[in-house]
Amino acid sequence: MNIYAKLAYTILGFLIVLNWGFLMGATMRKIGARMAGRHGIPFKQPWINLFKSISTRTVITHGIMYYIGPVFRLTGGIGLFLFMPMVFTGSPDGPWTNFSFEGDLILIMYFNVFGMLGMALGAGEGGHPYAAMGITRGLAQHAAVELPLTLAFLSIAIQFDTFSIYKIVEAQQGGIMHWVLFTNPFAAAAIILAMLGALGHSPFNLVKAPNEILIGPATEYEGTYLGFMMSAGATLHVMEAVLFMNLVFGGATSWLELIVKSFLIYFWSVFVGMVFPRFKIEQSVTWFFKVPLLLGVLAVIIFMF
Amino acid sequence: MVTPIFIVATALGAGFAIGVLNKFGKNFTGGLVLAAITFMTFISYQWFSAFQFGDQTPEYVYTAGFMPPLSINLLMGHYEAFVTLLINFAGLLGGIYMFNSLKNRGSNAQVVYLIMLMGLNVMVMTRDIFNLFVFMEVSSIAIAGLILLEKGTRSMGAGFKYILATSIISGFLLIGIIFAYYFTGTLNLDGMIDANLSGIKGGAVAVFMIMIAIILELKPFPANGWGLDLYEGSNAGFSAVVSAASATASFFVLSKVMDIAGPEWYYYISLIGAVTFVGSNLLGIKQENTRRMLGYSSIGQLGLLMLILGFRDILGDQTPYIVFGILISHYMAKAGLFWISGIVKSKGLKGWAVIRKKPFFLFLMGTFIFALIGFPPFPSFFAKWTLVMELVKTGNMAWVVAILFGSMMEAVYLFRWFGYAIKGENEHLEDFKIEIHKIVPVWMVAIGLYVMGYFTAQFTEVGAEINFIPLAFVGLLLALDFLPVFVKNTIAIAGMLAYSYFIYPDLEGDTLRLIFEGIFMLGGILALIAGYAYKGTRAGFYPVAILMYAGLTGIIEAKTTLEFFYGWELMTAGSYFLIIRGKRSMPHGLSYMLFSIGGAYALLAGLGIAHVGQDSFAMDIINNIQYIPYWAYGLLIAGFLTKTAAVGLHIWLPGAHGEAESDVSPMVSAILLKAGVFGVVLALIGMGAENNQYTELAYALGWLGAITAFVGNLMAIFQEDAKRLLAYSSIGQLGYIVFGLAMMTHLGWLAGFSYVINHFLYKAVLFLTIGAVVMRVGTHNMYEMGGLIKRMPLAFVAVMIGIIALSGVPPLSGFTGKWLFYNAVLEKGWYLQGALFSFSGILAFMYLWRLIHTVFLGQLKDNHRNVKEISIWFLIPIYTLIAGLMVYAAKPEWILQPLGNMIAQFFPDGQLIWDGGTAISKYGQWSGSLIGMTIGATFMTVLIWLMLSTRKAHKVKQFDITYSGERPERPETTHVAYNAFEGLYKAMWVATIPLVETFWDRVTNILHDTAGFTRRLYSGNGQAYMLHIVFFILITYLVIIGG
Amino acid sequence: MLRNILIALVILVMGYMFYNTYSNYETRTELAGISQHFAAQGAQEVGAANLVTAIVVTYRGFDTLGEVTILFLTASIIAFFLKLKDEDYDSSIDHRETSELLVTASQVLIPIIFLFGIYVFMNGHLTPGGGFQGGAIIATGVALMIMANPNVRLNYHVIHWVESVSGVSFVVIGILGMVLAGGFLDNKIFGQDGLGEFGTLFSAGAIPIIYSFVGLKVGAEISNILNKYQKSQKEA
Amino acid sequence: MEYIDLGHISLLIGFLLILVGFWGVLTQKNIIKIIVGFSILNTGINILIVSLGYVKGKTAPIIDNAVAQTGYHDVSASVVDPVPQALVLTAIVIGFGVTALMLAYAMKLYKAKKTLEINKFNDLKW
């Protein structure tokens, strides 16, 4: 496949992901509202928000980093998409594998932070205390989540003897019983639990703390910046779900499968969020250090003997 | 040649004549005494040079015209000539130093001083045991008299206790002598040796009494309270002479008399020596009184000499060399310190801060202390080295442990003292006066130490000039210390450049060494460039910085283990001085030094074991250790880990790096720590690299590395001080490196080495930048900064790049290390350690964000509204290093491929496959430059879009934010900085309990309590001291002779 | 009390140590080692009838030099640390009246004592006695003098001169021994034939000379010490 | 030991005096008494020295006509050992010197603190 075709597929893929992200976000809001007995937002609300933000005329800036923050964030989201094989087509060079040949799971793990870091830097320059608070909480929780997650990733890499996400997906083809969910249940369990933190819904949403402090770092941003951030947020939500899908739930052989699986994965966190109240940061950190960590350690230990 | 009897005749003639000549005045008599001592020195020197440089044979001096054993004879041999030279020279310098003190006490005191020296000379030369007794009495009576040169009851009490003690001792000696005569029918030493006194029935007790008396003269622990009082109570000049001349003579007497006792005594002599060395140095740590502390040290050194003497059969030909090295160092250094203590006149250790008012005194004091501890280039270094090598070789490990422990304790109190001198408060202290006749002897011995060091080195591999060129350069910088920074900095940089150029051909082709040499030399030059930012003369900085680099390059170039250790110790010395330059560095300098010395001793023991069964000292002996290799490698690695600050041995680092000067922190962090890594690399290569048989050791090392990474990074999160944060970060980073190396696989090493280079680059950037910021804002505390991006954007960019690289986020170079690490972990199967490592990496985000946020982002403080961008002299090296980081990020294969080739020498299996810029491992692939381009392109696209859509963005003011219905008026109220990660702390405080600090505190407390309790033995009561002596005799009797 | 018991124990162990030595002692029945030589050849080699003197002054003359030095040292130390000024020597103290008996007896005895002392050290090579003994006897005369009149003014200049000159002479004779005979302190400075007739005053070479100087020096030193003790009392 | 001869007796006395001297030195608090203890100790040692030179049934080593001689003034068969007697002379003088010095110290110490109790002079300790 030549580079132009690749680019074309990639851009198309990104548009799908972005829009699916918006739609999925709206759906979840809707579900949440209905469960609370409210009517909720219309499905088109995210697009409306986006266009409204982008077309705002007055834009402020606190300085260069403030300015660049959303760029980092969006680059992080897009980059994650670029390095992720989306739909399994039987060939590593297939149409929806994007630029995943440049790296592997490790790249995804570390690039995941790129957006967060840029965001943190950008919001920091605004000098708003909520931004800083949100970031400290986010980083702390992130660390706690990553530990079981890393163990589970390692376990999967050991299981298939590779870090290549494509190969991991490939190895899970051929029936539901080949999914990591069943072949490596400890790792899968660790990921399913840790995922709650990674997706950042209640009870692990103190980072954003929507009610008390608006929404964390984003407080400082409005207008075009907010548009960028919303796009990035939508992308990231989908990409995280896709990552877990690829690793645990057998990947996707078509866009439809991808949409369904990512929806279910995302819904899992929303579902839990509906049921449980919010944790304080030290509570969530210790929570991840209990069962998920234990599962992660077990997932690794079984390969040591 | 003047016959040695004239030493006696001159002293006595002058002494007796002064009774008549004293009407010419005290200056005349004083001059006469000095002239007599000069003549005595000349006689000894004449003989000594005839032995040393000619082929003089030992000569007996007979008296009374009869041959021994009928008459008394003296022997002038090589050793006798040397020892009398030492005695007379010390006497001469001491006479000059005490000229006024003696004069004030009148001609009688001058005479007593002269006769004391004469007595010591005869003690050394005589071959008749009764004659020995007589002249021992002569000298001890003279000493008892001269204690009173110092006025006051303290010296009087000391003198009286001294007489009481020596009377008991001489009583036993006399009983021993008379029985020895009774059993052998002779008083001549040689005759007694021939008669084999110990073998005669009943003779053993005679031998015992003689030996115990002579050992007691050397003030063995614990029967030595009187000796301590002597050192403390008498005139400083006189303490120096006692320590240098009298102790030396007593030691020589022991070496002479122990021939009578025969080999069965050697063990006991060593044992008493070891107990003395350990005991008195242990008690020394509790001392606050300088003079007494020096007394403890003197006694300890004599113990060490005794120990060596007891091993003379085992040490064989090396004995004189070892004894010479230890003796001459102690002789000169201790005399020098006592003399300085007489000039400075401060009783307590803390008062020594006053010494800084005359900076060259600090140089003198430093010289003496380093010589006492056994640092290069002083003779004691070579002697200690040889001693340990020989003892280990002959399987006497327990003795080595005792020696090293005692030396360690000595280092504790000497360096604590030195720390007070360098860093203590001195404004309220009264300056001291220098009299020319007092300072001359001090300079003489100081210079003497360096000369002797060079001389001693000539008998070893270090003797080559290459090892002294850097030292000469240090000396040059010391001499030029009065010049302004600009000149000295240029000289230093030019020197380093020239040296790098000069040394390069030696290392060409040896990639391993080139990497480290590159870090040391280029890093050093870059760090030095930052030095241009300083004003004034920056006294003392350049010699010590260059000393450190001299040591660093020394360990790279070392062909033998001795040269390696030599370089190691030079580096330690230089870095100690660099570290302690910081404002509040006193305690950290001390702990750095103590850990370094402890590490160096572990190294010494390890190298000693490595030498067992080998013919040479070539570096490659550590590749093939034959005797208890587990221990050897364990010790070596433990030694190196003190420098890499592995957890448990890390507590010195945060303070030392955190409090150091702005351009020193990168030197000691980015550069110095790599010396430890280099050592670990050598040890691991020695362990067989790919064919490593010591898997348990490597396994333990791996865990240690991972835990270090975790602890370092976790602790960094909770720091409020920017430099300490970076310091803890260094601990963590070094943990990664150790972990990588410990895996002992190709990928592990590649990961480790990529971290070595990376850490050098970004830690230098971060420390230089933060250091420069600290220079501008005048505080280390992050919560006092904030918003500095507005004032120093270039510094901000540097830090941002530094932290992105450090965090391992693609596309910068840190990711290289992470990717390699995961592959290595998977390959090696160290999953849990790998997870811990990974977790540490995630923790790093927190402190990195905190560093950049609380310093550069957030709210700008009112008092920083006018600070300037950091100095251009810092920016130059910073951006040079950043260029390096960028090249690394863009083209990792340029660095990783040569690294891979180098590592393949040791680990041929499991190499990366390179497909252009893509690295392919067994588990995955990664292409640095492509990733960089992809991310860069995305970034630019988004950026341009944003720029287009926000062309009219207007800049708002700092306080143009609202929250909770408030609008801030002061930056402090909204700068979220202090205790930023409170939530995490509440969750993870358990892991921050300072277990290690508590452990070392406990160790320290136990040592202090033991010392504090034991030293109560020295109740100050003369009678108790006599009882101690009697006890000592009886217990030794029961042990040696038995019931 | 505990302390005394402890010390008693110590003394006991020491006694045990000495007992071990004692039990190895056997009374000699004939001379052994170097003493054999001294008894057999001493008279011939040194020419002194008193073998002890021969040993003290010649064979082990170097020891004797050390002994003299010790006395000299002690005197010097006492001098500088009891620290007398010139006027102290002339000062007087109030004291109880000395008994008539002592004063009268001293006037009679002192010249005799001095004379006896001189006799003892001059005949040291022939009869029991010698320089030390003679010197000590002279010093007892001085002691008697001081006791009889605590304010007596000894001419310390004379004492110093005697002390100094005799000391230097001792050393010079020692060196002469090296130049003229076999070694430092050799008594044959007049040659082997110059030993004189055995058993007479002028025999045994340099021994009587040395012993005379020793006697003078010892007498002077001890007198000096006694004088210092006496004169420094007023400080008390 | 069939009977106690002169050598043994004096040796025993010497040792006993030494022990007495030590007892005095170690138990007495008064400096003057300690010095007296040392004198006793020294005396004991001196007696020891002399008694070790004793040869059974022999006379003093001074050659006169009362001493049996063989050859030219060869008295080796008839005198006791002269060497210890020479040594004891030296030992006595040294003892004298030391005692004199101690006494001088005692005077100084008394002047300084108006006491002769030895345990009062412990300014320097630990």
Side-chain angles (χ1 to χ4, degrees), chain B residues 309-329:
Chain B
L309 202 58
F311 272 101
R312 69 175 176 188
D313 278 0
I314 290 162
L315 299 173
D317 300 343
Q318 301 277 19
T319 319
Y321 181 73
I322 297 169
V323 168
F324 167 80
I326 305 270
L327 184 64
I328 196 87
S329 302

Side-chain angles (χ1 to χ4, degrees), chain C residues 27-28 35 40 49 51 67 198 229, chain D residues 5 56 61 63 73 81 90 100:
Chain C
T27 314
R28 286 263 153 84
S35 56
L51 287 177
E67 269 175 86
F198 183 78
Y229 279 160
Chain D
D5 63 28
K56 201 188 285 183
I63 305 172
H73 300 314
D81 192 339
T90 312

Side-chain angles (χ1 to χ4, degrees), chain B residues 186-269:
Chain B
T186 182
L187 287 164
N188 189 275
L189 272 177
D190 302 294
M192 280 195 186
I193 296 165
D194 293 342
N196 186 19
L197 183 53
S198 299
I200 300 171
K201 184 169 176 285
V205 185
V207 168
F208 171 80
M209 291 198 207
I210 294 174
M211 287 301 293
I212 203 71
I214 286 170
I215 288 172
L216 278 166
E217 285 283 333
L218 289 167
K219 313 179 183 77
F221 177 83
N224 54 6
W226 49 283
L228 292 165
D229 289 355
L230 166 64
Y231 285 120
E232 185 184 352
S234 54
N235 179 294
F238 187 62
S239 299
V241 175
V242 170
S243 169
S246 161
T248 308
S250 302
F251 172 70
F252 187 79
V253 168
L254 176 64
S255 76
K256 186 158 78 171
V257 172
M258 68 193 270
D259 286 335
I260 303 177
E264 60 267 37
W265 265 83
Y266 291 1
Y267 172 78
Y268 297 110
I269 291 173

Side-chain angles (χ1 to χ4, degrees), chain B residues 783-786 859-865 971-972 975:
Chain B
Y783 56 81
E784 293 178 32
M785 306 182 206
Q859 301 281 357
L860 183 65
K861 299 286 159 46
D862 292 341
N863 53 344
H864 295 154
R865 296 208 187 278
E972 287 82 1
H975 189 51

Side-chain angles (χ1 to χ4, degrees), chain A residues 191-233:
Chain A
I191 285 180
I192 288 168
L193 290 181
M195 197 160 86
L196 295 172
L199 293 171
H201 274 268
S202 176
F204 305 108
N205 61 349
L206 191 69
V207 180
K208 299 174 190 164
N211 301 333
E212 290 85 344
I213 54 171
L214 308 175
I215 46 171
T219 319
E220 263 302 287
Y221 288 104
E222 39 76 69
T224 314
Y225 306 113
L226 189 59
F228 270 50
M229 308 253 299
M230 287 192 304
S231 314

Side-chain angles (χ1 to χ4, degrees), chain C residues 6 31 86 95 101 108 132 134 138 159 172 184 187 206 228:
Chain C
L6 188 74
L31 294 178
D86 278 3
H95 59 87
L101 206 60
V108 180
F132 291 100
I138 291 174
I159 295 180
V172 168
F184 190 65
N187 71 330
K228 298 264 170 52

